[in-house]
Amino acid sequence: MQTTDSSLKNILKRALQEQELTREEIMTLLGISDQEQLQGLFQTARTLRQRYFGQEIFLYGFVYLSTYCRNDCRFCYYRRSNINSLRYRKTESEVLEAAADLAESGVHLIDLTMGEDPEYLDRGQEGIDRLAGLVRKVKARTGLPVMISPGVVPESALQDLARAGADWYACYQETHSALLFEELRINQRYAERLDTKYRAHDQGLLIEEGLLCGIGETDQDLFLSLRAMQELNADQVRVMNFIPQKGTPLEGVAGLGSKREIQITAILRLLFPDRLIPASLDVDGLDGLPPRLAAGANVVTSIIPPGQGLAGVAQSTLDIDESRRTTAWVLPVLEENGLQAGSRDGYRSWIEKRVQGLVGSEN
Ligand code: SAM
Ligand code: MD0
Ligand code: SF4
């Protein structure tokens, strides 16, 4: 059903007043496709971003430290049964060097991400200690906050990672339809993955929750995801468009393009005005940055140092060795869009306030 301009206007007005949007209102926002109406949604998202973050955007350096994985997620290039994908496991000194390069280039955080590599996750305490050691050394070397994206790990490991100085635990549910989850994340447990995020919060870590779109979800599924993210009280929330991967069961699926991701990003900003919301370079590369910023994102993720044999996830090579996933290329794009990089102190103080419950504590 076509949304009338006046009903949309009313929803956007309520969003600006930071009233809790109803199911019907969220479904309306998911359903709009008219260009002018979308522009109204994006404008509202930018106004809310401006309210909490001004013109300041944070930059995340990405180190995909191991592409080995024990899982077989249907959407992922690095699923264990994909013989096409490039496998590597970076040594400690390679990881430190990549992190140091990223720090030097001005990022605000280092995201240490990996497949569920058995060398780290199936070797008992020894593997976890090695991972915690990496976190400790990356922090010491760069002086920056660290995010860790290791997949599902036991609570004791979350505690070890927190003690080693990790600030963030990222683990994306992809969908909050348990049925769709089980189709996508083969042989993994929906409840366990979700619960690990609650456990991470218990350990004092900030958490990032994320969705995939264009992967078979309905608008109702998306609505359930948005509510689940509110319930989880996630500190950073994201959505990424599914990119079909060579050598996987979903290789032949026609990608939807990123319009949906951008629309959902703006809806995330309406529901989470004071949270961090990424615009990832990992979906459409540098060219995809302006529309994501225009939709209210306030973090640029997947900044990758060139020439070190490091991969992306959804786009394993796009823009990396062309150096276009670097701060040097991102900063002018921010400027062209009336934005600028935030300060390191500003980022640290956001994290500290959020840990103390001083940002968005009512949610
Ligand atoms: N292995 C860990 C895990 O699964 O939690 C951490 C890294 S995982 C590779 C990071 C995320 O990348 C996934 O949760 C998923 O949201 C996203 N991703 C993976 N394959 C993708 C694809 N083909 N298109 C878009 N996003 C993808
Ligand atoms: C990104 N390539 O931000 C990274 C990755 C994992 N924490 C993040 C998906 O797009
Ligand atoms: Fe492994 Fe993560 Fe890819 Fe799943 S999404 S196959 S857990 S790297």
Side-chain angles (χ1 to χ4, degrees):
M1 203 182 66
Q2 191 76 16
T3 305
T4 64
D5 288 346
S6 71
S7 71
L8 178 62
K9 231 174 158 178
N10 192 43
I11 297 171
L12 297 180
K13 190 171 128 208
R14 283 183 16 86
L16 277 179
Q17 294 166 344
E18 299 184 41
Q19 315 248 15
E20 167 105 66
L21 299 186
T22 64
R23 175 182 181 280
E24 198 191 342
E25 289 172 323
I26 292 172
M27 293 296 277
T28 299
L29 293 174
L30 287 166
I32 60 179
S33 56
D34 175 84
Q35 267 314 312
E36 263 178 46
Q37 294 189 336
L38 284 169
Q39 291 311 320
L41 168 64
F42 299 153
Q43 179 60 57
T44 306
R46 292 196 295 275
T47 304
L48 286 166
R49 176 183 63 200
Q50 174 76 27
R51 182 177 298 167
Y52 286 97
F53 299 97
Q55 266 99 277
E56 306 213 325
I57 301 291
F58 300 122
L59 309 173
Y60 285 10
F62 181 62
V63 182
Y64 201 9
L65 62 96
S66 170
T67 62
Y68 287 92
C69 191
R70 64 187 177 190
N71 282 338
D72 217 17
C73 304
R74 281 166 68 84
F75 52 82
C76 182
Y77 186 55
Y78 301 98
R79 70 199 303 260
R80 68 160 188 260
S81 60
N82 190 1
I83 50 167
N84 288 282
S85 74
L86 170 73
R87 306 284 171 187
Y88 65 74
R89 181 179 301 113
K90 295 297 180 188
T91 63
E92 184 176 285
S93 63
E94 287 170 330
V95 172
L96 288 173
E97 187 161 327
D101 278 9
L102 286 164
E104 175 88 358
S105 80
V107 301
H108 297 89
L109 168 141
I110 306 292
D111 176 5
L112 298 176
T113 293
M114 55 191 243
E116 290 198 3
D117 182 353
E119 281 293 308
Y120 286 106
L121 301 189
D122 291 340
R123 285 180 158 267
Q125 195 56 35
E126 186 195 324
I128 300 300
D129 286 346
R130 202 144 70 92
L131 200 55
L134 264 183
V135 169
R136 188 172 288 114
K137 287 177 190 163
V138 166
K139 273 204 94 137
R141 176 84 175 259
T142 63
L144 292 177
V146 168
M147 170 181 274
I148 179 102
S149 314
V152 171
V153 294
E155 185 163 10
S156 62
L158 294 170
Q159 186 175 45
D160 293 339
L161 293 166
R163 284 190 181 146
D167 299 273
W168 287 90
Y169 172 70
C171 181
Y172 314 141
Q173 202 73 18
E174 328 297 359
T175 174
H176 297 76
S177 150
L179 263 173
L180 182 56
F181 178 96
E182 269 150 33
E183 277 171 34
L184 296 174
R185 286 193 161 269
I186 295 168
N187 289 330
Q188 298 169 54
R189 277 170 301 175
Y190 176 87
E192 183 187 32
R193 193 168 174 91
L194 193 57
D195 191 55
T196 305
K197 287 172 268 209
Y198 284 94
R199 300 290 77 79
H201 253 172
D202 292 344
Q203 293 300 329
L205 291 157
L206 294 174
I207 53 170
E208 182 182 21
E209 175 63 305
L211 308 178
L212 273 179
C213 67
I215 194 90
E217 77 287 353
T218 62
D219 283 3
Q220 169 66 13
D221 293 337
L222 288 170
F223 166 74
L224 288 177
S225 281
L226 295 167
R227 282 284 186 256
M229 289 163 126
Q230 288 177 317
E231 173 75 33
L232 183 58
N233 198 11
D235 309 289
Q236 178 165 305
V237 286
R238 73 155 65 189
V239 55
M240 295 213 304
N241 179 38
F242 163 60
I243 309 288
Q245 301 293 326
K246 192 165 184 304
T248 67
L250 301 178
E251 174 175 3
V253 170
L256 280 187
S258 295
K259 269 172 43 195
R260 200 72 188 136
E261 176 193 314
I262 291 163
Q263 183 165 355
I264 298 165
T265 298
I267 298 171
L268 283 171
R269 176 58 70 202
L270 268 46
L271 298 180
F272 301 90
D274 56 5
R275 305 301 157 82
L276 302 177
I277 302 180
S280 176
L281 298 171
D282 206 21
V283 180
D284 296 324
L286 188 70
D287 293 342
L289 191 50
R292 288 168 170 81
L293 293 171
N298 72 324
V299 180
V300 178
T301 65
S302 216
I303 291 175
I304 299 178
Q308 300 193 15
L310 287 161
V313 177
Q315 294 284 2
S316 59
T317 57
L318 177 70
D319 278 356
I320 298 176
D321 281 339
E322 292 78 7
S323 300
R324 279 163 54 92
R325 285 212 212 172
T326 55
T327 52
W329 279 85
V330 167
L331 293 175
V333 176
L334 296 184
E335 202 168 314
E336 283 155 24
N337 290 275
L339 300 163
Q340 65 192 55
S343 68
R344 281 191 170 158
D345 283 349
Y347 183 67
R348 262 201 209 93
S349 102
W350 190 91
I351 289 190
E352 275 163 27
K353 283 197 202 128
R354 182 72 191 157
V355 168
Q356 291 163 13
L358 301 175
V359 179
S361 49
E362 80 286 355
N363 204 339

